[in-house]
Amino acid sequence: MVFGLVKARHEKIRVDHYIFDGKLDDVFGFSEMYDQAVKRLAMMPAGQDKAIVYVTGLTTAMLAVVKACIDMGLKLDAMHWCKKTDNFIRQAVIE
């Protein structure tokens, strides 16, 4: 399933689902971010085992997603914006 990391951080991302719906009030609220990541990842359809996340910055938020994927046994691809190619580049994080 495809997700954006944080809604409204970048306009080039066109996805239907986000791990975090808006501004994070506490970027050091590790437990809360982890819980939210688990909640969003749990909405993946049965039988789907890979999350594709368009990264929008905020390292602490992305690490919460990585930890949640590990704990949930999910594969994870991170999509990073490349200014040079004006496109996203895939990074296989958990295979």
Side-chain angles (χ1 to χ4, degrees), residues 36-60:
Q36 178 64 26
V38 168
K39 178 180 172 183
R40 285 291 193 248
L41 293 166
M43 67 186 258
M44 292 175 54
Q48 199 166 21
D49 68 345
K50 181 187 277 189
I52 300 167
V53 178
Y54 283 80
V55 181
T56 55
L58 294 178
T59 303
T60 56

Side-chain angles (χ1 to χ4, degrees), residues 50-55 75-82 85 87-95:
K50 181 187 277 189
I52 300 167
V53 178
Y54 283 80
V55 181
K75 297 174 186 170
L76 174 64
D77 284 352
M79 303 298 291
H80 302 279
W81 182 252
C82 177
T85 63
N87 208 344
F88 285 93
I89 305 293
R90 181 181 74 89
Q91 176 187 18
V93 179
I94 303 170
E95 298 188 274

Side-chain angles (χ1 to χ4, degrees), residues 5 19-20 24 26-42 58-74 94:
L5 184 61
I19 302 293
F20 303 101
L24 297 171
D26 182 5
V27 297
F28 298 110
F30 306 125
S31 294
E32 293 81 6
M33 287 188 290
Y34 172 81
D35 291 344
Q36 178 64 26
V38 168
K39 178 180 172 183
R40 285 291 193 248
L41 293 166
L58 294 178
T59 303
T60 56
M62 189 61 200
L63 289 174
V65 173
V66 171
K67 182 174 178 0
C69 284
I70 291 168
D71 291 350
M72 297 173 76
L74 297 172
I94 303 170

Side-chain angles (χ1 to χ4, degrees), residues 6-14 18 55-57 81 88:
V6 181
K7 190 173 185 175
R9 279 193 53 94
H10 295 286
E11 296 301 318
K12 293 186 185 264
I13 298 173
R14 301 284 183 238
Y18 288 86
V55 181
T56 55
W81 182 252
F88 285 93

